[in-house]
Amino acid sequence: MKLRVILYLIGFSAFIASLGQNLYNPLLLQVQAELHTTSYLVSLSVSLFTLALAVMQIVFGPLADTKGRKAVLIPSLVLYIIASIGCAYAPTIGYLLFFRVLQGVGAAAVPVVAAAIIGDLFRGKQLSQGMATYQLLLMLAPAIGPLVGGVIGEQYGYGATFLLLAAISLMLLIANFILLPETKPAFTHSKQSNTQHFSLIFKNPVSLVILLFGFFQFMVYFIYLTFVPQILNNTYLFQPAKTGVILLMMSCSTIISIKLGGWMLHRIGARKSLVYGFALHALSVILFAFTAQLSLSFLILDVCLFGFFMGLTGSIPTTLLTELFPEERATAIGVYNFIRYLGMAAGPMIGVLLYAGSSIMPLFLTCGFAFGAAIFWGARLITKSSSKIGNVVLDAEH
């Protein structure tokens, strides 16, 4: 029972950390008006948060492996609380930008530590199920965050959303301080440097494939988030409210399939789950390229399929990484998150070059085939590799 409590505690902590971005996004125009600033500087407050979140992944990962999970998580939550209060009362855009960076730094430790703790505490089928539960909680943030942020911001102002984050984070800080044990395994081997840890992760064929898949998956994901609203507006004359419903449907499809991904990982094994799940996700992008402009019904179906297959693969990479690197769990998760965030940043920039406005095929067909090529190469690399990943999770017969 206590393991289940810990799982939901760290999962909800990661959910709240992720809300630092998702609650805020619908309120950018309100922030611009109240702080009498420009849209560029307000957009910069989003970018700086994301940049801090990305860079600190490769800082907190090694720290959590050397200093301990709880030793990193507790100070990070304290920083997140202070930064959230600072964002709520920032008198100028300059102060807001400063506190948004600090908020991103504080938020960065939570997903790294949370995934590492799950890897510390669970094994076999329980590991895949626990990671699926964690991913489910994490994916709730983009699903409900914009709606909650919009309602609170409209009623009480954007500062209230940051105060809500601070209040909930304070309760989580107390709960983690009391209930969370230090779970970092005690290894007696000679200690390696961080550089050696990073090298180990990039040299392992399986983890290299996982990093490659993660980059392309989140590159395409952010292309969807950026350009599906434009497609809906250009092709079907959708207003933002209706567009939000479509994106919510995509998020709900992801949430629905996350648990199924954990079941698939246990039933057919790590190797097949990794390759088959991501291959289906790439195929959904190619399908979108050919059918999304045929009718609104096809577009909605395509978007939901994309979300469904994203959820199907959600827990597979982190489950594998935590088992492949028992001594460097947090470092491996941090590197994986960092690569995913690079994909997030690359997606919109690539999209601007390929999206013509009148046709979606150049953008989505190119991305779909690039994603598929990465999966084909990764599958061959895993096949040729002598690495044994069959013991990462229990085989179907167990």
Side-chain angles (χ1 to χ4, degrees):
M1 177 62 72
K2 186 173 182 182
L3 289 182
R4 188 61 52 180
V5 170
I6 293 173
L7 174 62
Y8 282 102
L9 176 60
I10 59 174
F12 194 63
S13 298
F15 164 74
I16 293 299
S18 181
L19 278 182
Q21 190 73 295
N22 296 288
L23 283 178
Y24 178 70
N25 283 341
L27 307 174
L28 299 182
L29 290 177
Q30 185 182 104
V31 173
Q32 181 181 347
E34 291 194 21
L35 295 182
H36 308 289
T37 186
T38 65
S39 60
Y40 170 78
L41 289 175
V42 173
S43 298
L44 189 61
S45 69
V46 176
S47 300
L48 289 177
F49 178 94
T50 305
L51 181 62
L53 193 66
V55 172
M56 294 306 295
Q57 298 296 307
I58 55 178
V59 175
F60 284 131
L63 276 177
D65 281 329
T66 55
K67 303 299 182 182
R69 319 308 193 203
K70 190 172 183 178
V72 171
L73 180 63
I74 297 301
S76 298
L77 286 174
V78 171
L79 179 61
Y80 187 75
I81 294 167
I82 294 172
S84 297
I85 296 172
C87 289
Y89 293 108
T92 66
I93 187 63
Y95 280 102
L96 180 64
L97 293 175
F98 172 75
F99 284 114
R100 283 289 285 171
V101 171
L102 291 184
Q103 192 183 38
V105 172
V110 186
V112 176
V113 171
I117 289 174
I118 294 172
D120 295 338
L121 296 178
F122 296 93
R123 293 290 179 272
K125 181 180 179 180
Q126 287 70 35
L127 173 60
S128 59
Q129 291 177 340
M131 203 65 78
T133 299
Y134 163 69
Q135 293 291 338
L136 175 62
L137 291 170
L138 202 58
M139 287 304 300
L140 286 175
I144 69 174
L147 176 62
V148 174
V151 171
I152 294 176
E154 183 177 340
Q155 294 293 322
Y156 305 105
Y158 76 88
T161 61
F162 289 114
L163 292 178
L164 175 65
L165 288 175
I168 298 176
S169 299
L170 178 60
M171 291 187 287
L172 288 171
L173 172 66
I174 296 171
N176 277 289
F177 186 80
I178 296 173
L179 299 176
L180 183 66
E182 179 52 66
T183 64
K184 185 180 82 71
F187 292 102
T188 58
H189 315 166
S190 60
K191 294 183 179 180
Q192 294 179 309
S193 67
N194 291 338
T195 302
Q196 290 173 311
H197 288 169
F198 290 137
S199 176
L200 184 66
I201 293 163
F202 280 99
K203 285 181 179 179
N204 184 292
V206 178
S207 58
L208 181 61
V209 168
I210 291 172
L211 298 179
L212 180 70
F213 287 7
F215 175 86
F216 275 96
Q217 182 179 57
F218 278 78
M219 179 192 78
V220 176
Y221 176 50
F222 265 60
I223 285 174
Y224 269 71
L225 293 181
T226 302
F227 292 98
V228 165
Q230 296 183 37
I231 295 166
L232 287 168
N233 180 263
N234 294 338
T235 307
Y236 301 106
L237 303 178
F238 265 41
Q239 297 303 308
K242 288 185 177 180
T243 299
V245 173
I246 302 299
L247 295 179
L248 179 61
M249 292 173 67
M250 182 173 75
S251 296
C252 290
S253 299
T254 301
I255 291 170
I256 288 170
S257 63
I258 284 176
K259 284 289 189 179
L260 180 60
W263 174 86
M264 181 177 72
L265 183 64
H266 175 65
R267 291 292 297 175
I268 69 175
R271 188 192 305 263
K272 291 181 180 179
S273 296
L274 182 68
V275 175
Y276 293 169
F278 278 89
L280 288 171
H281 204 196
L283 286 174
S284 74
V285 182
I286 297 173
L287 180 66
F288 184 93
F290 283 109
T291 63
Q293 284 187 308
L294 295 179
S295 71
L296 181 60
S297 297
F298 270 115
L299 186 146
I300 293 174
L301 177 61
D302 291 339
V303 166
C304 289
L305 278 176
F306 178 85
F308 181 87
F309 289 128
M310 186 157 190
L312 193 67
T313 60
S315 63
I316 296 172
T318 48
T319 301
L320 291 176
L321 288 172
T322 56
E323 284 294 324
L324 283 170
F325 302 100
E327 296 186 50
E328 306 88 9
R329 281 196 181 107
T331 302
I333 296 298
V335 171
Y336 174 64
N337 287 343
F338 176 69
I339 296 297
R340 289 194 301 170
Y341 292 143
L342 290 181
M344 294 179 190
M349 292 187 290
I350 294 171
V352 168
L353 298 175
L354 294 175
Y355 180 57
S358 58
S359 175
I360 67 173
M361 191 168 290
L363 172 59
F364 287 91
L365 198 58
T366 300
C367 291
F369 278 121
F371 194 6
I375 293 163
F376 178 75
W377 179 84
R380 292 193 63 184
L381 181 62
I382 291 177
T383 301
K384 291 180 179 179
S385 168
S386 60
S387 299
K388 305 296 183 182
I389 63 172
N391 60 347
V392 173
V393 292
L394 295 176
D395 292 327
E397 62 265 26
H398 295 309

